[in-house]
Amino acid sequence: MNDPTRVLIVGCGNLLRGDDAVGPVLVRHLWDRGVPHAVRCADGGTGGMDVGFQMRGVPHVIIVDACRSGSEPGAIFRLDGRDAETPPLAGVNLHAFRWDHALAFARWALKDEYPPRIDVWLIEAEQFEPGAPLSPSVEAAMFKVADLLMKEVEAELNRVTVQLNDGGYLVLSAQTAQRYFPGDTLLAMPQGAELWLLPTRGPGGGGLLLKQRNPAGDRSVLVREVLHDQWPCGELPAFWDADRGALRVALRAAPQTAPASGTPTPGTAAPRAAAS
């Protein structure tokens, strides 16, 4: 099954101008490394306006670019793209189409289909000499950013919510059911403050049957007996544990995840991206 794009990663910059290539180089690194099916990477180095259209309807967009703010080369900044100040589009030079121009164009072109979440990762550049490779400090920062954002993306893709109603039925969206329980059967195992749901091979493999609830394909399964008639009602957080092959449902509120450590944050003024 081909998943719809849930995350778009865009590398902005010019491959021919030293550290300005850090965004496109990061995208090429991720292509070689491999990304989940629901993640798409785009080289924004030569087609900034096209990238704006690629953002249409995508829930989460990540942009990586070089910047020059006077900080130490290789410094990493992270901005909320929805709040970032964007320049006017009048007179934009397509050869100097930066991340903020891409956002300004996408906001103008996409209207209500503008992404609800945009993260911008900026890496302080050291040099912009034509034909030069990435500076060592910038290359090291690029690998660090790639690891950090992919760790967050993978956690995001594995995080889902389920509904547990007062009748003891656990309700899964059609997408969640198709992704994790293609056989429409599962085992439900209470584990401390969690309920683990493990897929089986269909009715012949035993387990509880996922029943279709509506034309949209949402599924429900009766779990009241395994929970001994005691369960919280409402929307519950869950995540897919690939090591254990189980969707782990929290039977109480999950703690907030702390931000990734070691990532510098910008000051009151956002650093400007390097011109391409």
Side-chain angles (χ1 to χ4, degrees), residues 235-274:
E235 188 174 90
L236 302 175
F239 74 97
W240 178 255
D241 186 335
D243 292 335
R244 294 172 173 81
L247 185 67
R248 297 171 57 176
V249 180
L251 297 177
R252 59 187 179 190
Q256 294 294 317
T257 302
S261 60
T263 305
T265 54
T268 54
R272 302 299 294 173

Side-chain angles (χ1 to χ4, degrees), residues 52-70:
F53 286 115
Q54 290 192 52
M55 296 181 191
R56 185 190 304 275
V58 178
H60 184 191
V61 172
I62 298 171
I63 294 178
V64 181
D65 200 355
C67 70
R68 42 188 174 193
S69 66

